[in-house]
Amino acid sequence: MPADLETDSVRLREALAKTLAEDGALGDPAWRQAVEAVPRHRFVPGFYLPSDEPGADGLTVWEPVTAELDYGRWLPAAYSDTTLITQFDGDEPDWKAPKVRHGGAPTSSSTLPSLVVRMWADADVREGHTVLEIGTGTGYSTALACERLGSADVTSIEVDPHRLAQAADALYGLGYTPTLAVADGLFGYWPEASFDRIVGACSFRAVPLALLAQSRPGGKILLTLSGWLYGYARVLLTVAEDGTAEGRLLPGTVSFMSARTHAAPVFGNPAHWAAGLPEAGRASRHSPERITAATEEAFHLRFLAQSAVPDAQMTTVGEVVHLVDVVTGSAATLTPVEDRWEVREGGPVRLWERIEAVLSAYDEAGRPGPETFTLHVYDGGQHLRHPQMPGLPLPRP
């Protein structure tokens, strides 16, 4: 390890904090001080960066980066405002002899610093609050919270014991001593309840009811909601005296890895599902590109569509878009035919018809943004509401 590591890291931390402040991510001086104080490189001894070129099989080539392999690449990347992938498919890497990976599903990472401080700030975390963090990951965000609040007020849980062990080593090595536990975020962490703030660093299909029960009245819960269509929305809930909660969706686009218990099931070969559909189709009222395009509106619409068909998954084979619902056995395909899209649907749920209804209601309401929607959570369920659109239920947590 180079002798000037600490000097280099101080300089890079200050530069990172300056960049985040200039970009508006560090409006609170206390969070800026935390970013300048916490050495992120201690939490990411190894990570993967994508190669500039895909592999021969078309998959992304992920190159391992460590101080030993390439110090000049490792340290600047550790202090870049970038999410650093540290694990794929639940496989713990051997960072002493890491290997190049071809493709794979990221299952752990160090979230980009601007999003970390944005989450803590959006949750209105302040001195004196007791905090539960769901998803310790590398431990970097935990360290920022400890630096700001003091370790005694911070609890962080992680479902992966190997991830938590590495995070604990880094945290304790720097003098941070939060309460850490291997636990499923779906159930929170009762031994340390109740909390003033709960912040999720993973996404959930719906709000886990245990989190409401573990919040003090007036406490706030900041979560990212997602589902099997990979539509995302952030919500900031305030918990009432009666244990219900309500809050608006937050603007902007954010995505987090799913809580492992909320991950999508495997659905098999799309062609098998399409084979059982009626031969006759109809013209679609909306293009599927409205929810698949790489735009902020499509990102928002995919979440609304997902709320209408919460058990559906989507994949594209060639030019054909497939919707599959393993829960009800329903399926749909959308195929481009000249200047229109042809829909074929089968099963007890008309998947695309439900999505069309949401898209039409959205247009009729004037295309409202995320911040105009309110989520209500109570014993009878969870409903996303807008004054000009029908309510959209979330799946049972």
Side-chain angles (χ1 to χ4, degrees):
M1 196 73 69
D4 54 356
L5 171 60
E6 293 307 319
T7 301
D8 291 344
S9 68
V10 169
R11 173 178 53 82
L12 289 169
R13 283 203 300 279
E14 291 174 348
L16 173 62
K18 183 175 183 289
T19 298
L20 296 183
E22 290 173 348
D23 292 344
L26 281 177
D28 186 336
W31 286 117
R32 177 166 183 165
Q33 186 276 329
V35 171
E36 291 176 340
V38 175
R40 190 186 187 205
H41 72 274
R42 294 283 293 271
F43 297 91
V44 285
F47 47 83
Y48 294 95
L49 293 178
S51 173
D52 293 335
E53 299 293 334
D57 49 12
L59 298 174
T60 301
V61 177
W62 293 96
E63 300 172 342
V65 180
T66 66
E68 290 74 18
L69 289 172
D70 190 343
Y71 176 81
R73 190 183 187 193
W74 167 74
L75 193 64
Y79 288 101
S80 63
D81 191 27
T82 306
T83 292
L84 302 173
I85 307 299
T86 54
Q87 187 191 75
F88 287 92
D89 302 318
D91 298 330
E92 194 62 30
D94 176 5
W95 290 115
K96 294 181 180 178
K99 298 179 180 178
V100 172
R101 293 193 62 106
H102 293 258
T107 48
S108 190
S109 66
S110 178
T111 303
L112 67 162
S114 61
L115 178 53
V116 172
V117 294
R118 176 181 167 190
M119 293 287 284
W120 289 128
D122 284 347
D124 190 26
V125 172
R126 289 176 276 117
E127 288 80 359
H129 284 159
T130 54
V131 171
L132 171 64
E133 176 189 39
I134 299 173
T136 313
T138 64
Y140 174 67
S141 62
T142 317
L144 291 176
C146 291
E147 184 69 32
R148 171 70 188 270
L149 304 174
S151 298
D153 287 332
V154 178
T155 298
S156 186
I157 60 175
E158 168 64 49
V159 72
D160 186 326
H162 297 292
R163 292 280 92 202
L164 189 69
Q166 292 190 1
D169 285 345
L171 287 162
Y172 297 155
L174 291 167
Y176 301 118
T177 56
T179 298
L180 301 175
V182 176
D184 187 335
L186 189 62
F187 306 104
Y189 197 63
W190 284 102
E192 295 295 319
S194 295
F195 300 99
D196 295 300
R197 299 289 185 269
I198 297 178
V199 176
C202 58
S203 63
F204 294 92
R205 296 184 72 206
V207 179
L209 296 182
L211 303 186
L212 272 63
Q214 293 175 29
S215 297
R216 292 194 175 99
K220 296 182 180 181
I221 302 173
L222 179 65
L223 294 179
T224 300
L225 300 173
S226 71
W228 298 344
L229 289 185
Y230 299 103
Y232 295 86
R234 290 193 309 149
V235 63
L236 180 61
L237 297 164
T238 300
V239 180
E241 291 277 355
D242 61 2
T244 63
E246 181 179 317
R248 288 192 179 275
L249 301 188
L250 301 182
T253 57
V254 167
S255 61
F256 274 108
M257 297 173 194
S258 296
R260 296 193 188 183
T261 46
H262 280 192
V266 176
F267 58 80
N269 187 337
H272 296 166
W273 292 83
L277 297 177
E279 290 188 12
R282 64 172 177 85
S284 173
R285 288 185 284 151
H286 296 278
S287 164
E289 293 168 336
R290 292 201 65 185
I291 63 172
T292 61
T295 65
E296 190 164 331
E297 183 181 59
F299 191 94
H300 172 46
L301 277 175
R302 192 155 60 249
F303 177 75
L304 298 181
Q306 175 182 271
S307 300
V309 287
D311 298 321
Q313 298 180 69
M314 181 171 56
T315 188
T316 300
V317 180
E319 293 185 308
V320 181
V321 178
H322 294 256
L323 288 165
V324 173
D325 180 343
V326 301
V327 177
T328 66
S330 305
T333 62
L334 291 104
T335 306
V337 179
E338 297 178 350
D339 60 347
R340 63 187 176 88
W341 288 84
E342 184 179 85
V343 185
R344 295 190 300 143
E345 297 182 279
V349 178
R350 294 296 186 261
L351 299 174
W352 188 248
E353 187 175 312
R354 286 194 179 184
I355 292 176
E356 284 178 315
V358 170
L359 295 176
S360 294
Y362 171 79
D363 290 341
E364 291 168 7
R367 301 190 171 189
E371 63 278 4
T372 64
F373 289 81
T374 302
L375 181 65
H376 302 259
V377 183
Y378 49 95
D379 286 343
Q382 305 184 20
H383 284 81
L384 191 64
R385 295 196 173 107
H386 186 277
Q388 295 173 282
M389 288 184 64
L392 294 169
L394 270 62
R396 296 292 296 180

